[in-house]
């Protein structure tokens, strides 16, 4: 995708549309601030202070970004003996890309976020557990054959339903993949090595991978496959495939999960994370939200962050914001091209009629259609005035980042597959820049070079944005922050 022409707007930049009746409530969360030229002047290789650091408000540590990685980082810094920690974010809310929208009686998420009651996040913030809603989510997918079936694979539909001739071809393809794709270079090689090219096409996995990233699988680096598609190795193991085959024959259900699945409170993420913010504040964390960042410089062992509200200094600086933006703030040269990320278009619908599927989450593995996932929130929270409501996710690059194009494509694809037959109303939408990173060839190396440059400057960069890592869960964000900030035991 082309680089974002706008400066960083929190851990992720976004723009939003809601129904005209809701525009006054939605607001615009983009914050601007004039550069404080008296506080900082930029030079090549770093920013140099114009004001003496001993005249500035000081803290023990500063965290850039108030998303999940930022909140966990603040908690760890407190545990390490830092009595005053300042968290800065240009968003006017905590949670980063955990964003919800309330439109009328409906509540929507940007993306599909499910939590677990054994997440290490709760070790930092046990106060939030009572605010989660216990759920029993279910998953399915629309296959290339136009069938709503098991996610991610179905032995009955993908294998047995192929017929004896195609079954033999898929078996031969799987053997060929194990031999010819032993040395993988991209996501396509990775998948074909595990399952074979013919099964990848019949199941629709290849089509879904392209929707996930907005790029052909051949252009996606192997590093992304290993970080995002690790589940594929487990699902394609002989042991797992035999279990699936037996279940398809006997009709036995999937084994129950070992943990409890949770959703955020219907009131939204602000309500969910309120106890965490209160706990951090009582322990010595100060939050400055909706504050424009204008520069970072270092004098000796002291860092100063210049903001639209004034500068603040500390001997330790942790960043969870996008790498390119952190480099810019520190006046460091970015190594190579800007790091690629996904723009996510979310469509918010209400509906009355025949859905055509009965699971709470439906993935698009078919050949056509730009959308990649439907999450039915009325299955989690209950209908509103007798209507169901859900979010449809579309990768922006496939529709030119256009909400009307995304909506038209979704409606046409649903009609062609006899999905959502009834009264389907678009209630609003949201376009999210920098939703998550993409590992095109060489981007992983560029990210590591960027992190190293920031480390040499003295800044610790981590998280989905700051570490250029695909972190699909709060669990992953917590584990990574702990790994990055806590010294390893000898």
């Amino acid at each position: 995708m082309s680089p974002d022409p706008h400066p960083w707007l929190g851990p992720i930049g976004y723009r939003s549309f809601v129904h005209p009746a809701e525009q006054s409530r939605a607001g615009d969360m983009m914050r601007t601030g004039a550069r404080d030229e008296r506080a900082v002047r930029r030079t090549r290789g770093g920013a140099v202070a114009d004001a003496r650091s001993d005249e500035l408000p000081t803290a023990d540590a500063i965290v850039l970004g108030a998303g999940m990685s930022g909140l966990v980082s603040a908690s760890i810094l407190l545990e390490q003996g830092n009595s005053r920690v300042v968290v800065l974010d240009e968003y006017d809310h905590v949670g980063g890309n955990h964003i919800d929208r309330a439109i009328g009686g409906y509540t929507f998420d940007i993306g599909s976020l499910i939590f677990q009651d054994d997440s290490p996040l709760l070790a930092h913030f046990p106060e939030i557990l009572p605010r989660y809603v216990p759920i029993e989510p279910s998953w399915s997918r629309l296959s290339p054959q136009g069938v709503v079936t098991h996610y991610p694979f179905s032995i009955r539909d993908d294998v047995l339903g192929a017929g004896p001739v195609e079954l033999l071809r898929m078996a031969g393809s799987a053997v060929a993949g194990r031999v010819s794709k032993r040395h993988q270079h991209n996501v396509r090689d990775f998948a074909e090595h595990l399952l074979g090219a013919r099964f990848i096409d019949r199941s629709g996995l290849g089509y879904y991978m392209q929707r996930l990233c907005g790029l052909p699988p051949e252009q996606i680096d192997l590093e992304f496959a290993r970080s995002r598609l690790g589940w594929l190795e487990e699902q394609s193991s002989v042991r797992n495939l035999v279990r699936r085959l037996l279940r398809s024959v006997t009709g036995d259900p999937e084994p129950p999960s070992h943990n409890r699945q949770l959703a955020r409170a219907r009131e939204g993420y602000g309500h969910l994370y309120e106890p965490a913010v209160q706990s951090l504040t009582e322990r010595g964390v100060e939050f400055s939200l909706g504050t424009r960042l204008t520069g970072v410089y270092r004098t000796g062992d002291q860092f100063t962050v210049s903001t639209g509200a004034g500068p603040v200094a500390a001997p330790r600086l942790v960043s969870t914001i996008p790498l390119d933006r952190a480099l810019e703030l520190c006046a460091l040269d970015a190594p190579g091209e800007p790091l690629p990320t996904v723009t996510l278009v979310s469509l918010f619908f209400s509906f009355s009629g025949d859905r055509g599927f009965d699971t709470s989450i439906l993935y698009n593995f078919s050949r056509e259609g730009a959308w990649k996932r439907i999450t039915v929130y009325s299955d989690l929270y209950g209908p509103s005035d007798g209507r169901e409501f859900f979010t449809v996710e579309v990768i922006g690059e496939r529709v030119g980042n256009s909400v009307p194009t995304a909506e038209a494509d979704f409606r046409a694809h649903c009609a062609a597959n006899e999905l959502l037959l009834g009264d389907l109303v678009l209630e609003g939408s949201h376009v999210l820049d920098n939703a998550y990173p993409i590992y095109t060839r060489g981007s992983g190396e560029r990210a590591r070079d960027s992190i190293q440059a920031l480390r040499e400057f003295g800044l610790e960069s981590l998280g989905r944005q700051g570490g250029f890592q695909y972190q699909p869960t709060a669990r992953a964000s917590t584990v990574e922050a702990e790994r990055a900030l806590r010294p390893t035991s000898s």
Side-chain angles (χ1 to χ4, degrees):
M1 59 176 285
S2 59
D4 185 359
H6 304 292
W8 177 68
L9 300 171
I12 42 180
Y14 80 93
R15 49 194 184 274
S16 182
F17 161 82
V18 297
H19 191 277
E22 300 296 328
Q23 286 180 349
S24 61
R25 292 200 301 116
D28 182 2
M29 294 170 57
M30 295 184 180
R31 294 294 182 263
T32 59
R35 169 175 289 280
D36 186 354
E37 294 292 350
R38 295 172 299 175
V40 61
R41 57 183 171 87
R42 304 289 293 279
T43 65
R44 181 177 177 84
V48 179
D50 282 341
R52 294 176 55 192
S53 60
D54 56 6
E55 298 174 353
L56 304 176
T58 59
D60 295 316
I62 299 171
V63 178
L64 304 182
M68 295 311 308
S69 296
L71 295 178
V72 173
S73 295
S75 177
I76 294 171
L77 290 169
L78 290 173
E79 293 173 3
Q80 293 175 340
N82 299 282
S83 60
R84 185 187 176 207
V85 177
V86 174
V87 176
L88 304 172
D89 202 323
E90 290 184 320
Y91 268 5
D92 63 359
H93 70 274
V94 300
N97 63 339
H98 289 189
I99 303 172
D100 62 272
R101 283 288 174 268
I103 302 176
Y106 311 120
T107 180
F108 306 95
D109 276 2
I110 311 305
S112 178
L113 300 170
I114 295 177
F115 305 86
Q116 295 79 36
D117 64 354
D118 61 351
S119 170
L121 175 69
L122 296 172
H124 292 275
F125 309 115
E127 307 88 353
I128 69 177
L129 180 57
R131 299 203 174 188
Y132 284 114
V133 176
I135 59 174
E136 296 183 1
S138 54
W139 297 264
S140 62
R141 64 187 168 95
L142 179 66
S143 74
Q145 295 76 39
V147 176
V148 174
T149 185
H150 192 276
Y151 170 86
F153 307 122
S154 168
I155 295 295
R156 182 191 64 192
D157 294 322
D158 296 327
V159 179
L160 302 179
V165 175
E166 180 59 24
L167 184 58
L168 288 174
R169 289 173 176 168
M170 286 194 294
S173 174
V175 172
R178 292 285 177 169
V179 175
S180 65
K181 301 294 184 179
R182 284 178 297 177
H183 303 290
Q184 301 117 44
H185 304 284
N186 53 56
V187 166
R188 183 82 191 189
D189 291 348
F190 178 81
E192 288 186 5
H193 172 70
L194 295 173
L195 295 167
R198 295 193 75 93
F199 183 84
I200 295 300
D201 289 338
R202 177 169 175 81
S203 66
L205 179 62
Y207 306 123
Y208 178 74
M209 289 190 297
Q210 183 161 346
R211 289 188 185 91
L212 178 67
C213 297
L215 295 171
E218 295 80 6
Q219 297 180 22
I220 305 169
D221 196 82
L222 185 62
E223 193 166 349
F224 182 86
R226 288 171 174 161
S227 64
R228 177 63 182 91
L229 299 175
W231 57 269
L232 191 57
E233 290 188 274
E234 178 184 353
Q235 294 287 337
S236 60
S237 67
V238 174
R239 182 179 181 182
N240 200 303
L241 291 174
V242 169
R243 286 179 176 175
R244 286 185 176 277
L245 177 60
L246 291 175
R247 280 200 297 268
S248 69
V249 173
T250 63
D252 292 338
E254 293 283 344
S257 173
H258 66 279
N259 51 23
R260 187 171 51 152
Q261 305 296 300
L262 307 168
R264 51 93 174 160
R266 184 176 183 127
E267 294 89 340
Y269 287 107
H271 176 76
L272 174 64
Y273 295 133
E274 182 181 26
V277 172
Q278 182 177 351
S279 172
L280 288 172
T281 301
E282 291 173 351
R283 294 160 59 195
V285 174
E286 298 178 24
F287 288 89
S288 181
L289 306 177
T291 302
R292 183 68 176 169
L293 305 181
T294 57
V296 174
Y297 58 88
R298 181 176 181 178
T299 304
D301 60 356
Q302 192 87 333
F303 296 94
T304 299
V305 180
S306 180
T307 79
V312 60
R316 190 172 183 183
L317 180 59
V318 175
S319 174
T320 66
I321 68 177
L323 282 170
D324 287 338
R325 177 57 173 158
L327 290 167
E328 179 188 8
L329 288 170
C330 298
L332 299 172
D333 291 332
E337 296 295 320
L339 292 167
T341 59
V342 160
T343 296
L344 184 66
V345 177
S346 294
L347 306 176
F348 308 138
F349 286 100
S350 67
F351 176 72
S352 177
D354 179 11
R355 273 167 38 183
F357 61 97
D358 56 11
T359 56
S360 47
I361 299 173
L362 177 68
Y363 291 88
N364 182 14
F365 276 48
S366 70
R367 292 180 177 82
E368 297 80 22
W371 64 279
K372 74 181 185 77
R373 180 168 56 185
I374 299 173
T375 303
V376 184
Y377 291 102
S378 51
D379 283 358
L380 310 182
Y381 304 111
S384 178
D385 294 330
R387 294 181 66 83
E388 299 180 280
F389 51 95
F390 52 85
T391 295
V392 176
E393 298 168 63
V394 184
I395 299 302
E397 285 76 5
R398 294 180 65 90
V399 294
N401 296 334
S402 166
V403 168
T405 302
E407 180 190 4
D409 178 87
F410 177 70
R411 288 182 181 274
H413 192 244
C414 285
N417 289 275
E418 299 185 340
L419 298 176
L420 300 170
L421 301 177
D423 183 27
L424 181 63
V425 177
L426 180 67
E427 301 289 348
S429 65
H430 188 107
V431 180
L432 178 68
D433 300 318
N434 301 322
Y436 51 84
I438 307 174
Y439 279 93
T440 55
R441 292 191 181 183
S443 61
E445 183 178 356
R446 293 203 305 276
R448 286 187 289 273
D449 289 343
S450 297
I451 292 171
Q452 180 60 31
L454 291 169
R455 184 179 295 118
E456 292 173 358
F457 183 75
L459 182 151
E460 301 165 78
S461 190
L462 59 94
R464 174 186 291 202
Q465 304 288 351
F468 200 69
Q469 297 173 333
Y470 188 93
Q471 297 179 353
T473 64
R475 177 192 301 274
S477 298
T478 302
V479 170
E480 169 57 22
E482 292 174 338
R483 185 201 65 77
L485 295 180
R486 285 176 173 159
T488 57
S489 56
S490 56

